[in-house]
Amino acid sequence: MRSSIVARKRASAEHWPTPKPIPCDLARVDAFALDFLPVRLASWVDDIATRLQCPPDYPAITALTALGAILGRKIGVKPQLKTDWIEIPNVWGAFIGPPGMLKSPAMNEALRPMHRLEAEAVRNNEIAQQAYAAGLDAFRLHKQVAIALAREDLKKTLKGENHTRRIDLQLDDQPQPPTPVRYRTNDTSYEALAELIASNPTGMLVERDELVSLLRHLDRNDQAVARGFFLTGWSGTQPYTLDRISRGTRHIEAVCISVLGNSQPARIAEYVKRANSDANGGDGLLQRFGLLAWPDTCPEWKDMDRYPHSRAREDAWEVFERLSKLDRSGAMALGARRGPSDSVPFLRLSAAAHDEFVNWRSDLERRLRSGEMPPALEAHLAKYRKLVPALALINHLVDNGHNEISREAMRKALAMSQYLETHARRLYGATNEPERAAAQAILSKIRQGELQDGFTAREVHQHDWSGLTERDQVQAGLDLLVELHYLAASTAATSGRGGRPTTTYIVNPRGLA
């Protein structure tokens, strides 16, 4: 059957129309600049990006998100001069790039300081566990001796014997098991995440190598409560109480969650398209990823086999260690204040930083109220009210800032927000990216000789090629290639007795170049 179809449909190249270029509807984005970063991080991020030959956006977003998670509820920022409006520096970060562009290695490299903190916390916990075990043994022995002596005294008293020992069963408090220090988790139920946060009230980083898997998981109807828990944790200020028959009541003073992940363009664009079409995500889950970048891929590559920049790495790792040890007294030593109604110490903006922030926010509020932006983008930019002061606080503390947040720290945050806005516009405008990416991937396989005349959509899908794992996406890519004259489609019954029709595709020879 296939050979007859091919025989009927194959034509010489001159009888085929000239294929049209596969369109690229992605909006232009600003390039990342190291000036967006605190001085103590810039050289380190640049070194990672140069050695891996990946966009600097990847390690930069990872580092800022990780530092925001480490700071968490240790310290906050009050963007206005008089009100109680406070923002916690936990931020949600994500970056998008094609398969094979070293997204995961870049994220892992920028998370190495946090991994070292985790390893140190594990060692400290082991020591604390040993001390706890020894203290518990001593407590139990003391208790046994005290009970034995008390029994002897009681026997003598009952026999009427004279003795001077006073019966005393008072003991020191029983030692409590140490609480393991945690910074992040990769895969957890929301109940387990709540337990982690209850034990680590500063907050917790949820890290996902493939972000869309987490988003789709939280979209499920049976995960509505988990989704609400994540939404609550974004602000870092809202209390949460879990009531369970088996576990009883667990109250958390404030849920503080940071989220970090990456994704491929087609997968995230397909998710955004579905979310916009069926009202999924209307609660702003995706819009909470303020630190989101979708950089262009650099066509150039160089072999960079060199040692890491030791001084830059040491500076960056010192920042992570210093901020991980920040406590309430340390925050107060930096010039933070804490009023009678504040649960978190805070810094305010300097006069110059406040002027910069008010000018920026005035323009933002005007644009948000103009009705000129798509609703999804409007909701995304509205979350910058938290993002900008949070970034300014992170910038200030990373560069050893004291007292009021400096104008320089605020300017870096504002420049970063301008860059991020262009990437947000690319994300919410990339409605045709899934079929475009699929079409490009299929055309690449055709040119490599992996697909021959008369192939079917099933043959494309069953290979499980990168970017071609979803049936709907494969079909959309084939339809686009037909529309652009790279392919011709032919539909025929599978047998002489009829049956479900099968569509085969013939390749335009003019599109092979």
Side-chain angles (χ1 to χ4, degrees):
M1 176 63 69
R2 173 177 295 184
S3 60
S4 63
I5 294 174
V6 172
R8 291 198 306 268
K9 293 298 181 181
R10 182 183 294 276
S12 60
E14 60 267 19
H15 293 135
W16 282 87
T18 301
K20 301 177 182 178
I22 296 177
C24 181
D25 297 330
L26 294 179
R28 294 175 62 90
V29 294
D30 289 349
F32 184 84
L34 293 175
D35 290 341
F36 299 158
L37 295 173
V39 175
R40 299 294 299 276
L41 294 182
S43 296
W44 175 59
V45 167
D46 182 49
D47 182 56
I48 293 174
T50 302
R51 286 188 292 110
L52 293 180
Q53 290 291 281
C54 70
D57 318 55
Y58 299 174
I61 285 177
T62 301
L64 290 173
T65 306
L67 285 168
I70 287 175
L71 285 171
R73 287 181 53 79
K74 294 178 179 179
I75 190 169
V77 52
K78 289 192 175 182
Q80 294 181 317
L81 298 180
K82 300 177 182 179
T83 68
D84 287 334
W85 171 24
I86 188 171
E87 295 294 355
I88 306 300
N90 63 307
V91 291
W92 290 18
F95 51 90
I96 303 162
M101 286 297 105
L102 301 172
K103 298 186 295 297
S104 297
M107 189 163 75
N108 290 333
E109 185 69 18
L111 283 175
R112 286 184 67 185
M114 180 176 275
H115 296 163
R116 187 170 73 165
L117 292 175
E118 288 180 315
E120 182 181 350
V122 169
R123 290 193 296 269
N124 291 339
N125 184 62
E126 290 175 352
I127 296 173
Q129 287 286 358
Q130 294 172 1
Y132 163 70
L136 186 61
D137 289 342
F139 172 82
R140 288 171 176 170
L141 180 60
H142 185 194
K143 183 177 180 180
Q144 291 173 358
V145 171
I147 292 175
L149 292 175
R151 283 175 177 171
E152 290 297 323
D153 286 346
L154 183 59
K155 288 179 182 179
K156 292 179 181 180
T157 300
L158 293 176
K159 292 179 180 180
E161 298 180 8
N162 295 326
H163 62 90
T164 59
R165 183 184 299 274
R166 183 173 60 88
I167 298 176
D168 184 7
L169 290 178
Q170 291 185 1
L171 299 170
D172 294 334
D173 292 336
Q174 179 174 335
Q176 297 300 311
T179 301
V181 175
R182 293 286 301 275
Y183 295 99
R184 67 181 184 95
T185 181
N186 295 102
D187 185 16
T188 178
S189 66
Y190 89 93
E191 293 96 341
L193 181 58
E195 290 295 327
L196 285 174
I197 295 174
S199 302
N200 298 269
T202 293
M204 192 64 52
L205 172 67
V206 177
E207 176 199 343
R208 276 296 182 93
D209 192 49
E210 177 46 66
L211 180 62
V212 172
S213 64
L214 173 63
L215 297 176
R216 287 181 175 173
H217 174 76
L218 295 176
D219 282 346
R220 289 166 37 183
N221 291 333
D222 62 343
Q223 295 298 317
V225 178
R227 186 185 186 92
F229 186 75
F230 271 80
L231 293 172
T232 299
W234 173 76
S235 71
T237 60
Q238 299 300 311
Y240 200 93
T241 302
L242 295 91
D243 292 302
R244 296 291 185 270
I245 294 176
S246 58
R247 298 183 181 180
T249 298
R250 183 63 148 162
H251 179 73
I252 303 174
E253 180 183 1
V255 180
C256 186
I257 300 175
S258 302
V259 184
L260 174 66
N262 61 73
S263 183
Q264 299 176 17
R267 288 177 62 84
I268 192 68
E270 178 65 22
Y271 178 83
V272 173
K273 185 176 181 179
R274 291 182 180 179
N276 289 343
S277 63
D278 61 10
N280 242 347
D283 51 7
L285 180 67
L286 182 63
Q287 283 78 8
R288 281 165 166 74
F289 287 87
L291 271 179
L292 184 144
W294 186 341
D296 294 321
T297 302
C298 179
E300 299 178 357
W301 179 86
K302 295 180 180 179
D303 182 26
M304 299 299 294
D305 185 5
R306 74 180 195 193
Y307 291 110
H309 191 313
S310 58
R311 177 60 184 273
R313 180 155 68 176
E314 289 171 5
D315 283 348
W317 287 24
E318 185 277 330
V319 167
F320 277 80
E321 185 173 5
R322 170 167 53 86
L323 296 184
S324 71
K325 295 178 179 179
L326 183 68
D327 54 17
R328 182 163 296 176
S329 61
M332 303 302 281
L334 292 176
R337 289 176 283 172
R338 184 167 176 262
S341 62
D342 295 313
S343 58
V344 176
F346 64 88
L347 294 177
R348 289 197 188 269
L349 307 178
S350 66
H354 180 262
D355 290 342
E356 297 274 358
F357 177 72
V358 170
N359 290 336
W360 167 83
R361 190 185 173 195
S362 298
D363 177 67
L364 174 68
E365 298 293 347
R366 178 189 59 77
R367 292 192 294 138
L368 292 175
R369 288 161 170 74
S370 67
E372 298 174 354
M373 286 187 284
L377 178 62
E378 182 181 281
H380 188 99
L381 298 185
K383 303 295 187 294
Y384 284 14
R385 298 183 183 113
K386 169 189 169 79
L387 178 66
V388 166
L391 287 177
L393 176 60
I394 294 172
N395 294 338
H396 184 69
L397 295 176
V398 167
D399 282 341
N400 292 297
H402 290 67
N403 301 316
E404 296 175 326
I405 295 175
S406 68
R407 183 181 190 182
E408 180 64 19
M410 176 57 70
R411 282 188 164 181
K412 287 179 180 291
L414 294 176
M416 184 83 167
S417 72
Q418 184 176 356
Y419 145 86
L420 291 169
E421 181 175 337
T422 66
H423 291 253
R425 290 183 179 276
R426 168 173 284 189
L427 175 68
Y428 294 108
T431 56
N432 296 325
E433 178 60 19
E435 51 262 44
R436 188 206 68 80
Q440 193 68 59
I442 294 170
L443 185 58
S444 177
K445 295 300 179 183
I446 292 172
R447 290 171 174 171
Q448 294 169 12
E450 300 284 348
L451 295 171
Q452 305 295 329
D453 273 345
F455 70 87
T456 64
R458 183 176 179 275
E459 290 179 52
V460 178
H461 179 264
Q462 69 182 5
H463 286 288
D464 202 31
W465 286 320
S466 177
L468 299 172
T469 57
E470 302 289 337
R471 294 182 185 274
D472 292 345
Q473 190 172 324
V474 167
Q475 190 58 58
L478 290 169
D479 292 342
L480 180 59
L481 289 175
V482 170
E483 180 183 344
L484 298 176
H485 306 307
Y486 286 93
L487 300 174
S490 177
T491 303
T494 56
S495 69
R497 294 176 296 176
R500 191 171 186 176
T502 299
T503 300
T504 56
Y505 295 91
I506 311 301
V507 179
N508 181 351
R510 292 189 173 187
L512 296 178

